[in-house]
Amino acid sequence: IAALLYIFKDGDVMLGGILSFHSRWINKQDNYTQKPKPLQCTSLNLMDFQFAQAMLFAIAKINNSSDILPGLSLGYKMYDACGSIARAVSGALALANGNEATFVSSETPCTKSAQVQAILGENSSSLCMAIATIIGPFHLPLISHFATCACLSDKAKYPSFFRTIPSDLYQSRALAQLVRHFGWTWVGAIRKNDDYGNNGMAAFTETAHQLGICLEYSVSFFRTNPEEKILNIVNVIKHSSAKVIVAFMSYMDMNVIMHKLSYHNVSGYQWVGSEVWILHAPTPLNSSGNQLFTKFWEALFSCEFNSKNNQKRCTGTEDLSDVKNSFTDMSLMPIFNNVYKGVYAVAHALHKILKCNKTCDTNVTLDPSMVRMHLRNIRFPTKEGEEVYFNENGDPAAKYEIINWQPTAQGTVEFVTVGLYDASLPVDRQLTLQNVPASICSKPCLPGTRKVLQKGKPVCCYDCTPCAEGEISNTTDSITCIQCPPDFWSNAQRVACVKKETEFLSYEEILGALLTAASLFGTCLTCVVAWIFLKYRKTPIVRANNSELSFLLLFSLSLCFLCSLTFIGRPTEWSCMLRHIAFGITFVLCISCVLGKTIVVLMAFRATLPGSNVMKWFGPLQQRLSVIAFTLIQVLICVLWLTISPPFPFKSMKLFTYKIIMECAMGSAIGFWAVLGYIGLLAVLCFVLAFLARKLPDNFNEAKFITFSMLIFCAFWITFIPAYVSSPGKFSVAVEIFAILASSYGLLLCIFVPKCYVILFKPEKNTKKNIMGKSRATLKTNK
């Protein structure tokens, strides 16, 4: 069996092509019951003729370009396989050996025999498998624009095979996702009984099973099957309950099964098809004649140049715009573009091998194995911006258009693109559909919502309810929402759990920075007062107001200011214990000193009375011991608190659902309130004693200043309790710091500022005479 050479043009570098310009078509009068005579090519295949024209167009464009293979011309040899494996193999061997068989037509006479550097074609996966097997040992690359069988990706079997159309592995997945998209879970399947159909349907079945799609039946078919087998398939479809049929078949096999179904009045099914037949509107035209273009013209316009039997005569001036058939159907343009990309892929490989710049190195000896090696690494963009490359299996990136057959008013079928499938995207974004009529009761529930069945209606009818706060759903049509973990919260769309914001009073925020500044300023101000008292420690006003207790009070006040800093920052185990213990002890030390000073005032007044020796019972030693005793009681309370149940860092999630409040838990509430209660007890005692001593001689005592300071102290801490309880999150800590700072400033300003004013600005009053004068006058009056 010899392959038929149909088109030839000489060139510096030769490319080969194998296409089925003719088809083996079964005559209608045979009623599909007899096999056609072997290798009888009776109809012109307009689609493959278009593929050939696309190949010639690409070659001509390269030959006229100075950017790729400058100074070199590409030639070509094309063989007609006529849909026959035998003819396809014969043509492949002729191209591999550089020997032509039967010559029919050529653009220029054949002047020499030359081996081609690559072969482009064929459409059929089975033919490509046969060709690739034969030419594999020659390392001659075969680039197909339409063979989609996933089996051809096996580089161990087909090392020289490349293609510019994606593998059926991706198409099968796309078809399964398409079926699942429309909610068709009960479908039938029919496939062509060859490598293309069997492998494609196997991949579809596997993916469909994963997506929850059930197949009622899956049958194989070939157009030359006996009549009884074809009728059996018709009966399977007719008696099935599935109304959707997925078909992996060629257009010729599809034509046979459609005729049979129509003959038996079987209709009302939704067909989902693979690329082979879904893009083919068959026009099988019988023709006679010897020349290819003569045949094409006669078939295209239904005329004859040598008219007989009153047949319409061809003039050669027929208008193509008046013709509507598969040749003029531009919906096939993506497939033509695959041919175009295949030619350019070979050209780019040759361009690299020949080291082309402004010219090509013609001294390089070309070898098909070199072309095959460079094809694996080429990558170039088309004018439309599409990136062309081959992966390790010789396959391109998997992208598909979803085509919908739509009838027109003229009675023809229009191919309309209604969606896209891109396997390179994430699974949930691979399939996009538009302009497709839907027949549903309720729209799908988007992620972030859940389905709630409508009362009294079928399960297909439901409402979409947003997930509650803290819950998410990340799939379409979810029936439940998932609760986020404790440390996480749902985002605004309710589609993902995000980590909750952690909140605490920090140094970086404005409130924390202001409180820190106030604490440090108070500490510095206390140090300034202490320096003034130290410098003027021998003056009467300092000595008269018990300088030892004054310095101890100033020291405790500086600690009170500084202890507020322990409340700022992320709570830790140590900081939680330190902040409350330091606060409790320093404030008791402070109030103890004030209480000591108040008692001294009272005792000093009593000591001025005749016959009184009360001061010997409350001298400097007793004053120190009283301060130590009062402070040790607080220390004992704190030790018990730390021993029994100390404060600890705690994540509060009850106040705010969307954020975590980092705070210090009290541990033992009794311990906390015991510390505060003891401070309050000393403060009240000090206030009462100071209030009793407020009317003693002005120049002698500081009781009224202590009274004011204790009044301020108690007022702040009484208002602190409700403010602390009602403040949320970090603001409760801020309230506690404010109470500490305010009461400390009250003590510092009320007790020490009047004395500093006299020391610095009224030194004439800072004399023993002035201090003692008024007290003596007061004593005489009292007598």
Side-chain angles (χ1 to χ4, degrees):
I1 299 174
L4 197 62
L5 177 63
Y6 253 81
I7 305 177
F8 169 84
K9 181 181 179 181
D10 198 8
D12 298 319
V13 181
M14 299 298 293
L15 301 183
I18 299 178
L19 297 167
S20 294
F21 293 103
H22 294 84
S23 301
R24 295 178 297 166
W25 202 261
I26 303 173
N27 296 325
K28 289 184 180 180
Q29 59 268 27
D30 293 336
N31 202 26
Y32 305 102
T33 60
Q34 298 178 3
K35 293 184 179 179
K37 295 180 180 180
L39 306 182
Q40 185 177 354
C41 302
T42 57
S43 61
L44 182 64
N45 188 343
L46 293 182
M47 181 188 285
D48 278 43
F49 183 82
Q50 288 174 291
F51 292 153
Q53 292 301 305
M55 179 177 171
L56 297 182
F57 174 77
I59 291 174
K61 195 167 183 180
I62 292 170
N63 287 342
N64 293 325
S65 173
S66 59
D67 297 327
I68 186 168
L69 297 178
L72 291 181
S73 64
L74 292 179
Y76 49 82
K77 300 177 184 180
M78 292 191 193
Y79 285 87
D80 182 11
C82 199
S84 165
I85 291 179
R87 282 185 182 266
V89 171
S90 177
L93 289 173
L95 291 172
N97 295 323
N99 298 320
E100 290 85 9
T102 307
F103 174 79
V104 173
S105 65
S106 65
E107 188 172 320
T108 58
C110 180
T111 57
K112 62 181 180 180
S113 173
Q115 183 188 29
V116 298
Q117 299 302 315
I119 299 176
L120 290 102
E122 228 274 347
N123 301 350
S124 166
S125 294
S126 295
L127 268 63
C128 283
M129 291 168 67
I131 297 170
T133 301
I134 293 299
I135 67 173
F138 297 97
H139 306 291
L140 181 61
L142 170 64
I143 306 175
S144 175
H145 55 276
F146 213 43
T148 58
C149 180
C151 56
L152 286 165
S153 297
D154 187 349
K155 292 296 104 177
K157 290 183 179 180
Y158 312 107
S160 297
F161 180 79
F162 298 85
R163 54 182 159 196
T164 53
I165 189 170
S167 163
D168 275 339
L169 177 65
Y170 301 102
Q171 181 178 203
S172 301
R173 293 174 180 172
L175 287 174
Q177 289 191 32
L178 180 65
V179 171
R180 180 65 183 86
H181 175 83
F182 290 111
W184 299 328
T185 57
W186 185 243
V187 301
I190 183 170
R191 66 189 185 277
K192 183 178 181 180
N193 192 14
D194 65 354
D195 300 296
Y196 167 78
N198 293 329
N199 286 282
M201 187 55 70
F204 170 82
T205 303
E206 180 182 354
T207 306
H209 178 72
Q210 295 171 357
L211 296 177
I213 300 169
C214 301
L215 269 63
E216 183 179 7
Y217 59 87
S218 179
V219 294
S220 62
F221 166 76
F222 200 82
R223 62 183 179 276
T224 57
N225 284 147
E227 177 74 8
E228 58 272 17
K229 183 169 184 179
I230 298 176
L231 288 176
N232 182 58
I233 293 173
V234 171
N235 287 327
V236 169
I237 296 174
K238 187 175 182 179
H239 295 96
S240 67
S241 58
K243 296 301 179 182
V244 177
I245 303 174
V246 179
F248 255 90
M249 306 170 71
S250 71
Y251 65 89
M252 292 180 287
D253 298 276
M254 196 67 188
N255 187 64
V256 173
I257 199 68
M258 284 295 187
H259 274 84
K260 276 297 179 183
L261 290 172
S262 177
Y263 179 79
H264 290 275
N265 198 28
V266 179
S267 60
Y269 291 89
Q270 174 69 55
W271 290 84
V272 180
S274 57
E275 88 296 339
V276 174
W277 69 268
I278 201 71
L279 282 173
H280 195 279
T283 56
L285 303 173
N286 292 330
S287 61
S288 60
N290 296 321
Q291 301 298 319
L292 176 62
F293 288 99
T294 301
K295 280 185 169 185
F296 164 69
W297 197 266
E298 291 176 343
L300 185 62
F301 294 102
S302 301
C303 62
E304 290 183 3
F305 283 98
N306 299 317
S307 178
K308 296 179 181 179
N309 300 324
N310 296 322
Q311 177 72 22
K312 178 183 176 182
R313 180 179 292 275
C314 296
T315 65
T317 61
E318 285 77 6
D319 189 356
L320 192 62
S321 63
D322 296 332
V323 178
K324 289 191 181 297
N325 56 29
S326 61
F327 181 78
T328 60
D329 183 8
M330 289 299 102
S331 63
L332 290 173
M333 189 57 71
I335 309 300
F336 303 150
N337 192 40
N338 288 344
V339 180
Y340 185 88
K341 290 187 289 187
V343 176
Y344 264 82
V346 176
H348 277 275
L350 293 170
H351 191 86
K352 288 187 177 181
I353 295 171
L354 297 173
K355 304 174 183 177
C356 298
N357 191 1
K358 293 184 178 180
T359 60
C360 296
D361 187 356
T362 55
N363 295 321
V364 176
T365 303
L366 284 174
D367 183 79
S369 62
M370 299 172 65
V371 178
R372 186 183 74 171
M373 180 181 68
H374 280 79
L375 279 173
R376 294 173 178 169
N377 302 316
I378 61 108
R379 182 182 286 266
F380 64 92
T382 64
K383 287 188 175 180
E384 292 75 25
E386 181 182 359
E387 196 78 10
V388 179
Y389 64 93
F390 301 104
N391 64 16
E392 65 276 6
N393 297 322
D395 297 332
K399 295 181 181 180
Y400 297 96
E401 290 182 342
I402 311 298
I403 304 297
N404 182 224
W405 283 19
Q406 298 181 1
T408 64
Q410 293 75 26
T412 60
V413 174
E414 183 180 359
F415 297 164
V416 179
T417 300
V418 295
L420 296 172
Y421 177 85
D422 189 346
S424 64
L425 297 176
V427 176
D428 58 336
R429 292 169 48 202
Q430 289 177 349
L431 180 66
T432 56
L433 287 172
Q434 54 204 357
N435 302 326
V436 178
S439 179
I440 53 177
C441 179
S442 302
K443 292 183 178 180
C445 289
L446 299 176
T449 64
R450 63 181 179 90
K451 294 198 297 187
V452 178
L453 296 180
Q454 296 177 359
K455 188 175 181 180
K457 292 187 178 181
V459 293
C460 298
C461 302
Y462 48 82
D463 296 319
C464 298
T465 302
C467 292
E469 289 187 347
E471 296 181 346
I472 65 162
S473 67
N474 51 16
T475 58
T476 303
D477 282 340
S478 176
I479 59 174
T480 59
C481 293
I482 305 170
Q483 182 72 40
C484 289
D487 288 355
F488 289 79
W489 193 247
S490 56
N491 61 1
Q493 296 76 27
R494 307 287 197 275
V495 296
C497 291
V498 295
K499 197 166 182 64
K500 288 183 179 179
E501 174 190 355
T502 302
E503 183 182 90
F504 56 88
L505 186 62
S506 67
Y507 293 100
E508 289 77 14
E509 59 183 296
I510 296 177
L511 180 60
L514 290 176
L515 292 173
T516 301
S519 172
L520 296 177
F521 179 76
T523 304
C524 294
L525 187 60
T526 304
C527 292
V528 170
V529 172
W531 177 79
I532 293 173
F533 266 59
L534 181 65
K535 183 177 181 181
Y536 296 95
R537 63 185 179 278
K538 294 182 179 181
T539 60
I541 197 168
V542 175
R543 296 180 62 186
N545 286 280
N546 200 325
S547 60
E548 185 175 335
L549 285 180
S550 294
F551 283 114
L552 186 58
L553 176 58
L554 288 171
F555 172 72
S556 62
L557 280 174
S558 64
L559 293 181
C560 289
F561 281 116
L562 291 175
C563 82
S564 63
L565 297 179
T566 62
F567 289 79
I568 305 175
R570 178 183 288 272
T572 63
E573 185 176 351
W574 284 103
S575 68
C576 286
M577 290 189 292
L578 178 63
R579 64 173 59 171
H580 291 99
I581 301 307
F583 156 71
I585 293 176
T586 55
F587 260 79
V588 164
L589 178 62
C590 179
I591 300 301
S592 298
C593 293
V594 176
L595 182 60
K597 290 173 70 68
T598 306
I599 295 174
V600 168
V601 170
L602 287 173
M603 294 300 177
F605 177 76
R606 293 293 181 185
T608 59
L609 297 177
S612 175
N613 59 352
V614 69
M615 283 304 296
K616 71 177 183 179
W617 298 108
F618 202 71
L621 178 62
Q622 288 78 10
Q623 295 170 20
R624 297 189 197 102
L625 290 176
S626 65
V627 171
I628 294 173
F630 287 137
T631 306
L632 284 177
I633 294 173
Q634 183 74 305
V635 171
L636 179 61
I637 295 173
C638 292
V639 170
L640 290 174
W641 184 12
L642 292 179
T643 303
I644 297 172
S645 181
F648 58 91
F650 174 70
K651 294 181 179 179
S652 176
M653 302 181 188
K654 294 181 179 180
L655 190 60
F656 299 100
T657 55
Y658 57 91
K659 61 182 177 181
I660 299 173
I661 305 298
M662 295 294 296
E663 59 185 15
C664 287
M666 293 300 114
S668 171
I670 296 176
F672 174 72
W673 291 110
V675 168
L676 283 184
Y678 183 65
I679 295 174
L681 177 64
L682 292 181
V684 170
L685 179 62
C686 185
F687 173 74
V688 171
L689 293 177
F691 182 79
L692 294 175
R694 72 188 187 283
K695 292 185 178 181
L696 293 178
D698 293 346
N699 289 3
F700 180 80
N701 77 86
E702 53 183 346
K704 65 179 180 181
F705 300 121
I706 295 175
T707 302
F708 285 130
S709 65
M710 286 297 101
L711 187 63
I712 293 173
F713 183 93
C714 293
F716 274 120
W717 283 101
I718 290 173
T719 56
F720 158 77
I721 295 174
Y724 179 81
V725 173
S726 62
S727 297
K730 63 183 179 182
F731 296 104
S732 63
V733 179
V735 167
E736 192 169 358
I737 296 174
F738 179 78
I740 294 172
L741 294 177
S743 55
S744 300
Y745 273 111
L747 290 171
L748 179 66
L749 297 178
C750 290
I751 295 176
F752 291 100
V753 167
K755 298 178 179 60
C756 291
Y757 176 77
V758 172
I759 292 172
L760 297 176
F761 301 104
K762 299 290 183 178
E764 67 276 8
K765 294 184 178 182
N766 190 8
T767 61
K768 183 176 182 181
K769 179 181 178 180
N770 182 66
I771 293 174
M772 299 299 295
K774 190 173 182 181
S775 61
R776 288 175 179 172
T778 304
L779 290 173
K780 289 178 180 180
T781 303
N782 290 336
K783 289 178 181 179

